[in-house]
Every structure is written in C-alpha cells, then in structure tokens.
C-alpha cells in the first residue's frame, strides 16, 4: 500500500475525525433548520395583512398627530406652550413612513441573505479543519506513531508532506460536497420560505467565488492546525495557540487598543481580515477624525482591507507555520 493511501485510510478511519465532522455537520444542519423555521414566504395573504396593518398604524399616527397639534394650538400663550415645538411646527406622518414590508414576518431572500450563510458555513468548517488537522498529526507524535512510521518510510519531508496533502485533499472533498448541499438546501429554503427572484448570472458567479474563498479559508485553517501541532508535537499545542489567540491576543488586544484610542483597531484583529477575505473588503472607520462635509455631516477617515491584502496575509501565515513545521521536521531529532 502506498504512503498516500495509508494516510488517507488513517484520516478517514479515525474516530476523532468522524466525531468532529459529524459535530460540524450537526451545527450546520441546526443553522439551516433555524433559518427554515423562522422565515416565511410572502404569500398574498401575508402581504395583504401587512398592508392593512401598515395602513392602520398610519391612520392612528395621523389621528395622534392631529391631536398633538390641537393641544399645541390651545396651549399658545400659556406656560404649557414650552412643551411643544415653536409655532406648532409638527410634521405630519407620511404614508411612505409605514412600509408594509416592516410588518411582514422574516422572509429569506436568497441573494441578500445567502452571503451570511456562506460565512457561517466557512467558519464552522474552518474550525473542524483546524481541530482535525491538529489531531491528525498531533496524535501521531504523542503516541509514537510518527517514529514507527519513519522506520517504515525514513523520509521525513515526504512523510509530513504526504500527511498534509491527505488532510488538505480530504478537507477539499468535504468542503466541496457540503458546500454544494449547503447551497442547494438554502436555495430550496428560499423557494419555500422566501424569494429567489433577484438571482442573476452575476449573482451566482459572485456566490461561487465567495464559496471558493471559503474553501481556501478552510484549507488554511486545516494547514495551520496541522503545522502548529507538528511544531509542538502534540494536539494540545495547536489548541493552546488557538485559545491564546482568541482570548488573550484578540479580546485583550481589543481592550488595550480601545484604551489607547488607536485608530482603526479592527486592523489588528483576525476576524475582520477573515471578513474582508470572504466579502471582498472591510472598511474601517475612525469617527474621532470626522471631517465636516458641505452638507453638515461627518465624513470619518476610512481604511479598507481588501481581499487581496487579506489573501496576502493568509499566504504569509501559511508559509510561516507550515514552513516552520517542515523545518522542525527536518532539523529536530525524532524522539
């Protein structure tokens, strides 16, 4: 049996892999079920009911406004006049202020809402990939399996590289299959509980590219977990780094940056870079440096993180962690 086939069998047969893949799929299924149950299709009956409710609230607001204007006019020349605007300048409500859509139950518009579902899908599978990748190589180091494997195939770089290739191939297959089912499932949800009327060829292309970037994010997460566990030679190393980054570096750094009034604190936080990668850009605004516009509004200074910039940062992170794992595999003793 070839090394690649042996590692593929080991990855697929591991109970830890099956457990976390199952947990990830269970979370995604719960999200899809929640969206299905909380959204409703805009049927003619629902539209009519919402229109009637909007009209009723409009009429009620008109009556209430007329009453306040009459009270204001009656209070002129008395001490109570200060409770009302000068000259009773009260703007009556407009019909457009009562949009029937605001009185309708939530409806799942595929074009508007599906990008958020892709982000959720990417986050869940990236977490699964990170943990599975860390365990896949970490368990080999902590159990002595890596040393035994190198006795059979004494080529360090080939062994570690093959393990990484198997992990990335497995996560690619899982992400593509689950992603296709995820897209089809939410398209059906939109057909039954929302709308797909606004979908165009350009929208489908945009979703396809976003899902491709989600795949890259999942593979990066798997590679980082794999690399960190290999450097530390234990699964706990990767998990400890993840906890440290999330709890200490992210929340702690955010608090420090806030107290220091640092401009654009989001630039130092990983979630915003991930958002920029998936959604093509993230615009950070600094409201402490407002420039007053001719219309009198505030024009804050902005800084944009593009998906190209985020992708470059991800590539550097991949090179550092995976490169470090390969370097330690080659230089350190296998004991």
């Amino acid at each position: 049996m070839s090394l690649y086939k042996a590692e593929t069998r080991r990855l697929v047969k591991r109970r830890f892999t099956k457990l976390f893949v199952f947990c990830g799929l269970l979370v995604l299924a719960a999200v899809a079920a929640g969206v299905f149950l909380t959204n409703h299709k805009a049927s003619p009956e629902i539209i009519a009911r919402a229109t009637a409710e909007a009209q009723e609230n409009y009429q009620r607001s008109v009556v209430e406004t007329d009453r306040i204007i009459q009270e204001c006019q009656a209070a002129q020349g008395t001490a109570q006049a200060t409770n009302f605007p000068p000259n009773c300048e009260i703007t009556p409500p407009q019909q457009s202020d009562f949009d029937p859509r605001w009185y309708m139950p939530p409806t799942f518009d595929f074009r508007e809402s599906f990008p958020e579902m892709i982000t959720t899908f990417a986050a869940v599978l990236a977490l699964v990939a990170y943990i599975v990748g860390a365990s896949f190589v970490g368990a080999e180091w902590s159990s002595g399996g890596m040393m035994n494997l190198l006795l059979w195939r004494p080529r360090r770089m080939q062994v570690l590289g093959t393990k990484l290739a198997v992990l990335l191939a497995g996560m690619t297959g899982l992400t593509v299959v689950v992603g296709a089912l995820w897209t089809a499932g939410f398209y059906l949800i939109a057909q039954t509980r929302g709308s797909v009327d606004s979908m165009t060829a350009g929208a489908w292309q945009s979703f396809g590219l976003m899902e491709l970037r989600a795949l890259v994010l999942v593979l990066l997460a798997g590679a980082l977990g794999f690399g960190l566990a290999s450097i530390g030679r234990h699964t706990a190393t990767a998990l400890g780094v993840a906890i440290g980054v999330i709890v200490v570096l992210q929340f702690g750094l955010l608090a420090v940056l806030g107290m220091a009034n640092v401009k654009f604190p989001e630039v130092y936080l990983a979630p915003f870079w991930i958002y920029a990668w998936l959604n093509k850009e993230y615009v950070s605004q600094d409201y402490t440096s407002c420039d007053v516009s001719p219309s009198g509004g505030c024009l804050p200074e902005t800084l944009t993180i593009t998906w190209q910039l985020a992708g470059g940062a991800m590539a550097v992170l991949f090179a550092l962690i995976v490169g470090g794992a390969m370097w330690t595999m080659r230089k350190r003793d296998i004991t």
Side-chain angles (χ1 to χ4, degrees), residues 214-232:
L215 170 61
V216 173
L217 179 65
V218 172
L219 297 182
L220 174 67
L224 293 182
F226 181 94
L228 290 169
S230 182
I231 292 172

Side-chain angles (χ1 to χ4, degrees), residues 18-252:
K18 295 178 181 179
L19 174 63
F20 269 89
V21 170
F22 175 76
C23 290
L25 296 179
L26 192 63
V27 171
L28 293 177
V31 171
V35 172
F36 178 83
L37 295 174
T38 56
N39 286 272
H40 303 274
K41 195 173 185 63
S43 64
E45 293 78 10
I46 292 178
I47 295 175
R49 190 183 311 120
T51 302
E53 185 175 357
Q55 183 64 26
E56 179 182 349
N57 281 278
Y58 168 67
Q59 296 296 340
R60 186 182 301 115
S61 180
V62 168
V63 172
E64 180 67 16
T65 303
D66 290 342
R67 183 186 64 80
I68 295 175
I69 292 175
Q70 291 175 5
E71 292 180 355
C72 176
Q73 292 173 345
Q76 295 303 303
T78 68
Q80 300 298 323
T82 57
N83 297 330
F84 300 94
N87 301 321
C88 296
E89 294 179 353
I90 301 175
T91 304
Q94 304 296 318
Q95 183 76 57
S96 58
D97 297 334
F98 297 83
D99 194 326
R101 290 178 297 178
W102 301 342
Y103 301 88
M104 294 173 59
T107 183
F108 187 80
D109 186 290
F110 190 78
R111 184 168 184 172
E112 292 183 0
S113 303
F114 189 58
E116 297 178 5
M117 297 300 103
I118 297 178
T119 301
T120 302
F121 161 79
V124 172
L125 283 193
L127 178 61
V128 171
Y130 185 89
I131 296 175
V132 169
S135 173
F136 182 46
V137 69
E140 293 290 304
W141 282 113
S142 59
S143 66
M146 183 68 76
M147 291 181 288
N148 295 332
L149 179 58
L150 290 173
L151 292 175
W152 172 59
R153 184 65 66 91
R155 296 180 179 178
R156 298 186 179 191
M157 303 301 289
Q158 183 186 31
V159 167
L160 191 64
T162 300
K163 282 182 172 291
L164 179 59
V166 167
L167 171 68
L168 297 183
M171 292 311 304
T172 298
L174 176 66
T175 305
V176 169
V177 172
V178 176
L181 295 175
W182 187 253
T183 303
F186 275 96
Y187 188 80
L188 291 175
I189 290 175
Q191 284 185 319
T192 57
R193 297 279 180 157
S195 172
V196 296
D197 297 338
S198 58
M199 289 303 299
T200 62
W204 280 114
Q205 181 181 16
S206 178
F207 288 165
L209 292 174
M210 187 175 182
E211 290 181 331
L212 183 60
R213 293 193 296 272
L215 170 61
V216 173
L217 179 65
V218 172
L219 297 182
L220 174 67
L224 293 182
F226 181 94
L228 290 169
S230 182
I231 292 172
R233 298 191 174 185
H234 204 287
T235 305
T237 302
L239 301 182
V241 170
I243 294 173
V245 168
I246 294 173
V247 177
V248 179
L249 188 58
Q250 296 299 296
F251 290 104

